[in-house]
Amino acid sequence: MLHFVAKKEGKKLIKEDYDVSNIYKLDGRVSVSKAIPFGLQHVLAMFVSNVTPIILISGVAL
C-alpha cells in the first residue's frame, strides 16, 4: 500500500511516496520514528481508561 506525501522545497512542490504496508501486517516491522508516537498513544489511552472511573465515582460522591 503506497501513500503519497507532498513536500515543499523552495518554490517547488515535490510528491514523494512511502510504504505503510508494514504497519498493517501482523508481524510487520515498524521504524522507531513511527513506533514512538504509537507507543505514546497507547500509554495515553491506558492513562485515560484508568483515571476516568475515579473521576466519575468521585463526582457522584460529592
Side-chain angles (χ1 to χ4, degrees):
M1 180 184 319
L2 290 177
H3 290 269
F4 295 97
V5 64
K7 287 186 176 181
K8 193 171 186 178
E9 290 184 11
K11 293 185 178 183
K12 288 185 177 181
L13 190 63
I14 298 172
K15 191 176 183 182
E16 294 181 357
D17 59 335
Y18 60 95
D19 188 18
V20 294
S21 60
N22 281 336
I23 294 174
Y24 300 109
K25 289 183 181 176
L26 180 62
D27 294 325
R29 304 285 292 179
V30 181
S31 66
V32 174
S33 64
K34 291 180 184 174
I36 290 174
F38 291 148
L40 288 175
Q41 178 186 10
H42 279 79
V43 169
L44 290 173
M46 289 186 292
F47 179 75
V48 169
S49 67
N50 286 321
V51 172
T52 301
I54 296 169
I55 293 172
L56 292 174
I57 292 171
S58 66
V60 169
L62 294 176

